């Protein structure tokens, strides 16, 4: 230590009155108040474009070419989404990133009875090649890089895209973009899977094989940490599990006989970017270092195979329903972190996405955030401008070491496929999410406008409203028209060949392309595969003992006492069903509620994913619950929750109280109240206060502080 450090230490001790000002992050990293040369001693991050690529995959980075502005969007119909895309491209967006609705994700045509509330709500409905052609009408696929977030129904969606390109006159070899095709993270956190893990991994390998042979400009997989981030993963968990997923895919492709250096340069990654600016910068830098090392260990000879190229998206989970204009600032901070970390493309979330799909107005602000960073801020002038920062270099190394330890743990379990099947990553991520939520609830983690500096009154926002019934009717009409005009014998032959190929060893994407050409629908292609592979299902198992651990919180203690009092009066613990209806698999909020209420002393029934209102009502009656907490994140609440309440009444149980939580626009609150919902809790709601409301409605006289809207 230098004399200067000693001088600083003396001054710091005096200013802090001897208090320890270091902070521990959720990653278990202790941040010092100041960093110096000794913290980065022995660290050589090299130069951008040069192994180990810590400082970026390309030598000149944004000085040569800025990142691609690739906004993720899709809603309603193919025609509506196409118009939205064309407006955004005209305004400066450079690439397309397509969001599909949940019916499409889960392999159902729009006329399937299980998806009545999901069609067109959280993305665009795509039932056939005809829809895909409309989606890209007037958008030249020979010139446009297209990213598609699709995993479960990846075969029909990619097949539709290939055929739509063909019918535009674009050869497969000229198509550019990315298909997500990351099924392991679906089993870990996002849950939009269709088939069991083993055949799902075969599909991944078949797509890698086909695209490496037929589509040399197209990225065959986008290995996604983003959805782990959204589920509550720490930066270390997101980093480690994402790279471990990548290792599993590489091994699957190698196991299918593919040459590593033939397909590895087309692998890409996708990370979420949160509010801890320097942590996120360090995460991207550490990711590149680790991937280069991993690929070398797996046998890569080409330097291109060792490059980690990534898309990033600002955090959805950091967006708040309360004081939503603050989200503009949050997105800006996160976008800056992604850029300083060296991303290759970026999506910036709109400020209103905690309540609904973005409007043109909010989408313009989100897009312009990137344009201002690229054109006005000066960040594109220098490759890796934070390189050499003692803090950033030390943090990068610490993330690298901690992530490697988690990767080693996964490897000890036999790799990520087995670890996912055992539920290891899911449990770890849910524990981290519960720990963070608890810190927010007690104010230890500050969220401006939510648990500190709250507005006395929230202003109403204009939001995008999708008429689900109208969209579904239009999709069904187009499906019927297509089915009447196609050659049924050709369709049947193509689907039979696909089913036989699934039973054998044929390339499933190649067969899916033939089925798409014949005008087989998405649901028909998915069903052919399901007849061989089956449809996968799991039941949630919420973590326990995390949310309430080591809490020093009066409100928590009051809620625990209230739960005990209600249990004594009832002669049993109060019972809550946490219901996930519709095809939305995002279960972070539902899992948090289950974990917190369980720690408070409730008996929690965690309902299976993808229930219909009837199935949820039948389960509520069978389990004799007192309360149903209906979680909605994908805009199905106006259809699904009133139907649940109606069915509970029909079953003779109108006394079961129904709460709603998740992404619900305030404009819809009154409609839900009129339908019988007794409490509504959006993103940022304090779970302990929610529990207090439930206890009051069960007859307990909780103290009045902190009443949420249900108790007002």
């Amino acid at each position: 230590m230098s004399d200067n450090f000693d001088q600083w230490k003396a001054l710091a001790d005096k200013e802090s009155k001897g208090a320890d000002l270091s902070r521990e992050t959720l990653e278990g990293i202790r941040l010092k108040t100041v960093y110096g040369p000794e913290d980065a001693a022995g660290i050589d991050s090299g130069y951008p474009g040069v192994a180990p690529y810590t400082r970026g995959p390309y030598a000149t980075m944004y000085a040569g070419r800025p990142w691609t502005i690739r906004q993720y969007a899709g809603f309603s119909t193919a025609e509506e989404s196409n118009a939205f895309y064309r407006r955004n491209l005209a305004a400066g967006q450079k690439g397309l990133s397509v969001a599909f609705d949940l019916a499409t994700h889960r392999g159902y045509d729009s006329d399937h009875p299980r998806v009545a509330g999901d069609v067109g709500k959280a993305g665009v409905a795509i039932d056939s090649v005809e829809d895909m052609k409309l989606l890209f009408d007037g958008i030249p696929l020979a010139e446009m890089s297209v990213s598609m977030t699709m995993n479960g129904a990846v075969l029909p969606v990619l097949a539709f895209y290939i055929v739509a390109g063909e019918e535009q006159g674009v050869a497969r070899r000229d198509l550019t973009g990315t298909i997500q095709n990351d099924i392991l993270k679906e089993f870990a956190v996002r849950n939009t899977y269709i088939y069991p893990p083993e055949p799902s991994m075969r599909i991944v390998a078949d797509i890698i094989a086909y695209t490496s042979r037929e589509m040399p400009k197209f990225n065959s997989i986008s290995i996604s940490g983003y959805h782990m981030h959204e589920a509550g993963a720490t930066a270390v968990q997101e980093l480690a599990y994402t790279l471990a997923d990548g290792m599993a895919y590489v091994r699957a492709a190698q196991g299918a006989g593919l040459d590593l250096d033939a397909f590895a340069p087309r692998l890409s990654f996708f990370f979420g970017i949160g509010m801890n600016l320097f942590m996120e910068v360090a995460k991207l830098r550490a990711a590149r270092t680790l991937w280069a090392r991993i690929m070398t260990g797996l046998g890569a000879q080409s330097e291109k195979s060792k490059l980690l190229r990534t898309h990033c998206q600002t955090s959805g989970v950091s967006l708040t329903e309360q004081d939503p204009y603050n989200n503009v600032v949050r997105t800006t901070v996160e976008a800056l972190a992604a850029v300083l970390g060296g991303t290759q493309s970026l999506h910036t979330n709109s400020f209103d996405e905690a309540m609904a799909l973005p409007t043109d107005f909010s989408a313009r602000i989100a897009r312009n955030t990137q344009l201002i960073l690229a054109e006005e801020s000066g960040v594109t002038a220098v490759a890796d401008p934070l390189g050499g920062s003692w803090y950033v270099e030390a943090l990068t190394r610490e993330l690298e070491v901690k992530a490697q330890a988690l990767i080693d743990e996964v490897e000890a379990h036999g790799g990520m496929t087995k670890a996912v099947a055992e539920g290891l990553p899911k449990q770890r991520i849910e524990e981290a999410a519960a720990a963070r939520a608890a810190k927010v609830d007690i104010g230890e983690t500050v969220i401006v406008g939510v648990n500190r500096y709250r507005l006395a009154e929230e202003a109403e926002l204009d939001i995008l409203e999708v008429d689900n019934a109208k969209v579904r009717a239009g999709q069904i009409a187009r499906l019927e028209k297509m089915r009447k005009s196609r050659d049924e014998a050709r369709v049947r032959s193509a689907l039979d060949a696909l089913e036989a190929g699934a039973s054998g060893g044929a390339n499933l994407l190649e067969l899916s392309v033939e089925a798409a050409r014949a005008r087989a629908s998405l649901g028909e292609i998915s069903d052919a595969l399901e007849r061989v592979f089956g449809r996968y299902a799991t039941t949630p198992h919420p973590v326990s003992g995390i949310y309430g651990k080591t809490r020093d919180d009066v409100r928590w203690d009051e809620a625990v006492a209230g739960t005990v009092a209600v249990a004594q009066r009832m002669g049993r613990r109060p019972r809550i069903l946490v219901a996930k209806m519709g095809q939305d698999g995002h279960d972070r909020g539902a899992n948090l509620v289950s974990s917190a209420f369980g720690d408070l002393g409730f008996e929690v029934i965690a309902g299976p994913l993808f229930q219909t209102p009837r199935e949820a009502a039948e389960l509520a009656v069978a389990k004799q619950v007192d309360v149903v907490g209906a979680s909605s994140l994908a805009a199905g609440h106006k259809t699904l929750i009133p139907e649940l309440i109606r069915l509970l009444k029909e079953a003779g149980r109108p006394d079961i109280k129904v709460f709603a939580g998740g992404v619900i626009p305030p404009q819809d609150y009154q409609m839900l109240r009129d339908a019988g919902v007794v409490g509504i809790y959006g993103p940022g709601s304090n779970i302990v206060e929610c529990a207090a409301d439930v206890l009051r409605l069960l007859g307990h006289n909780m103290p009045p502080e902190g009443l949420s809207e249900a108790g007002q």
Side-chain angles (χ1 to χ4, degrees):
M1 299 286 182
S2 68
D3 290 340
N4 283 344
F5 175 83
D6 293 336
Q7 186 178 359
W8 169 84
K9 186 69 167 60
L11 289 168
D13 287 343
K14 183 179 179 181
E15 290 175 11
S16 67
K17 297 181 172 59
D20 181 5
L21 298 181
S22 66
R23 304 177 186 183
E24 184 160 325
T25 71
L26 286 169
E27 292 76 14
I29 294 172
R30 177 67 60 179
L31 300 180
K32 302 193 296 185
T33 308
V34 71
Y35 285 76
E38 65 281 355
D39 296 296
I43 296 175
D44 181 8
S45 297
Y47 283 86
V50 179
Y53 308 107
T54 308
R55 302 190 64 190
Y58 306 117
T60 57
M61 291 300 290
Y62 308 141
R65 188 178 77 177
W67 65 93
T68 300
I69 299 172
R70 189 190 300 277
Q71 291 297 95
Y72 177 62
F75 60 94
S76 184
T77 63
E79 298 97 324
E80 290 279 347
S81 294
N82 173 266
F84 187 78
Y85 294 158
R86 292 171 73 168
R87 291 195 298 272
N88 285 358
L89 291 169
Q93 185 175 311
K94 300 300 184 184
L96 293 179
S97 186
V98 182
F100 299 96
D101 74 355
L102 291 164
T104 304
H105 272 287
R106 293 271 293 150
Y108 294 115
D109 286 335
S110 295
D111 58 359
H112 197 285
R114 297 194 73 86
V115 300
D118 295 303
V119 176
K121 293 295 281 186
V124 60
I126 299 292
D127 291 316
S128 72
V129 168
E130 298 303 322
D131 288 334
M132 192 69 80
K133 288 169 67 177
L134 286 170
L135 187 66
F136 295 114
D137 183 44
I139 299 172
L141 293 179
E143 304 169 16
M144 182 59 57
S145 175
V146 176
S147 174
M148 293 179 286
T149 300
M150 178 53 61
N151 303 282
V154 63
L155 286 171
V157 165
L158 185 52
F160 293 163
Y161 173 70
I162 291 167
V163 176
E166 288 176 357
E167 297 186 8
Q168 256 195 24
V170 183
R172 293 190 295 276
R173 65 179 178 274
D174 294 324
L175 293 170
T176 61
T178 304
I179 188 77
Q180 191 163 97
N181 193 29
D182 177 5
I183 200 64
L184 286 175
K185 69 95 175 48
E186 298 294 335
F187 292 114
V189 290
R190 189 167 176 252
N191 301 309
T192 50
Y193 43 70
I194 301 176
Y195 317 110
E198 188 173 337
S200 295
M201 289 295 286
R202 174 192 166 183
I203 291 169
V204 171
D206 279 2
I207 289 171
I208 293 173
Y210 181 95
T211 54
S212 64
R213 182 179 73 245
E214 303 286 339
M215 304 167 70
K217 299 179 182 178
F218 197 81
N219 296 322
S220 56
I221 190 168
S222 175
I223 304 154
S224 175
Y226 181 83
H227 300 99
M228 300 181 198
H229 171 95
E230 293 294 277
T234 67
V236 170
Q237 291 170 337
E238 181 188 358
L239 178 56
Y241 294 146
T242 304
L243 298 183
D245 279 350
M247 294 168 69
Y249 295 131
V250 168
R251 286 166 175 159
Q254 288 177 309
L258 299 179
D259 176 69
L260 177 59
D261 289 315
F263 69 83
R266 304 313 305 172
L267 303 176
S268 65
F269 287 81
F270 175 24
F271 288 102
I273 304 296
M275 281 296 292
N276 191 335
L277 188 146
F278 292 105
M279 186 71 73
E280 299 299 336
V281 170
K283 180 177 75 182
L284 297 184
R285 299 172 93 250
R288 291 190 289 267
T289 307
L290 285 164
W291 188 244
R293 186 187 305 158
I294 287 167
M295 292 301 283
T296 301
L298 290 171
Q301 299 298 311
S302 168
E303 288 302 308
K304 288 184 178 180
S305 299
K306 302 174 186 178
L307 297 181
L308 182 146
R309 292 163 291 263
T310 190
H311 172 71
C312 289
Q313 180 173 339
T314 60
S315 175
V317 76
S318 72
L319 302 176
T320 66
E321 178 187 280
Q322 300 84 358
D323 205 357
Y325 289 111
N326 289 339
N327 295 332
V328 176
V329 182
R330 293 187 178 102
T331 294
T332 303
V333 171
E334 292 164 353
L336 180 61
V339 169
L340 292 175
T343 190
Q344 278 60 71
S345 65
L346 179 61
H347 166 91
T348 36
N349 288 329
S350 301
F351 69 82
D352 51 1
E353 288 188 69
M355 294 164 283
L357 290 170
T359 62
D360 276 12
F361 172 71
S362 65
R364 176 172 62 83
I365 294 172
R367 182 182 61 251
N368 286 350
T369 300
Q370 294 198 52
L371 290 170
I372 291 166
L373 283 175
E375 304 290 347
E376 297 185 36
S377 72
V379 294
T380 61
V382 176
D384 189 28
L386 293 182
S389 158
W390 298 316
Y391 174 36
V392 170
E393 296 294 355
L395 190 57
T396 300
R397 177 59 56 85
E398 192 153 6
L399 278 174
E400 180 190 326
V401 170
K402 285 184 175 292
Q404 185 63 60
L406 274 188
I407 292 170
D408 291 343
E409 180 185 48
V410 168
E411 289 290 280
H413 275 75
M416 198 59 170
T417 304
K418 288 186 178 178
V420 164
E422 293 173 9
L424 175 67
K426 186 175 184 65
Q427 180 179 347
R428 292 284 175 76
I429 291 169
E430 287 182 11
E431 288 171 351
R436 184 181 188 277
K439 289 178 179 292
V440 172
D441 275 1
I442 62 175
E444 186 176 326
T445 296
V446 175
I447 309 294
V448 173
V450 175
N451 61 2
R452 200 172 295 182
Y453 317 113
R454 280 199 74 157
L455 293 175
E457 186 174 339
E458 298 279 352
E460 188 170 300
L461 291 179
D462 289 329
I463 61 164
L464 180 66
E465 176 68 23
V466 174
D467 187 339
N468 161 242
K470 182 181 178 182
V471 173
R472 188 167 185 248
Q475 290 298 121
I476 292 172
R478 189 148 56 225
L479 269 169
E480 290 174 348
K481 182 181 178 181
M482 183 191 73
R483 287 168 180 157
K484 287 177 181 176
S485 63
R486 68 190 184 179
D487 182 338
E488 283 297 330
R490 185 186 176 193
V491 174
R492 179 46 47 200
S493 175
L495 291 173
D496 287 345
L498 178 59
E499 189 172 341
S503 298
N507 187 286
L508 296 177
L509 178 54
E510 189 171 336
L511 292 169
S512 296
V513 169
E514 289 301 318
R517 288 195 186 107
R519 281 349 190 229
S521 71
L522 176 131
E524 290 167 333
I525 293 172
S526 298
D527 287 347
L529 296 166
E530 187 179 335
R531 284 192 286 273
V532 178
F533 298 149
R535 182 171 281 266
Y536 189 72
T538 60
T539 299
H541 297 286
V543 299
S544 62
I546 302 294
Y547 201 94
K549 188 178 180 181
T550 66
R551 288 176 72 110
D552 183 16
D553 177 14
V554 172
R555 296 294 292 168
W556 176 266
D557 294 340
E558 290 172 346
V560 170
T563 307
V564 171
V566 170
Q568 288 174 339
R569 193 182 72 250
M570 288 182 164
R572 60 168 174 81
R573 291 188 293 160
R575 197 172 291 138
I576 181 172
L577 167 65
V578 179
K580 283 290 295 179
M581 297 180 291
Q583 297 304 306
D584 174 39
H586 293 86
D587 57 357
R588 180 178 187 268
N591 290 337
L592 284 176
V593 169
S594 294
S595 297
F597 274 64
D599 285 359
L600 282 166
F602 279 71
E603 182 182 344
V604 177
I605 291 92
L609 297 173
F610 315 122
Q611 285 191 308
T612 64
R614 183 170 297 280
E615 289 165 344
E618 288 173 352
L619 182 60
V621 172
K623 295 294 185 179
Q624 297 186 337
V625 303
D626 307 296
V627 178
V628 176
S631 175
S632 175
L633 294 173
H637 54 273
K638 292 176 74 173
T639 302
L640 300 171
I641 297 176
E643 179 69 0
L644 168 67
I645 293 170
R646 185 185 69 78
L647 290 165
L648 287 172
K649 290 177 181 176
E650 277 187 9
R653 292 300 309 275
D655 58 302
I656 295 177
K657 298 169 176 61
V658 177
F659 290 76
V663 179
I664 300 174
Q667 290 90 323
D668 293 347
Y669 282 16
Q670 192 58 51
M671 172 262 173
L672 290 174
R673 290 190 190 105
D674 292 343
V677 174
V678 296
I680 305 168
Y681 306 98
S685 296
N686 187 303
I687 297 180
V688 180
E689 292 181 7
C690 301
D693 286 347
V694 172
L695 290 168
R696 272 188 289 270
L697 286 165
L698 293 177
H700 184 65
N701 185 26
M702 291 289 296
E705 290 84 19
L707 285 178
S708 71
E709 68 105 65
Q712 292 174 357

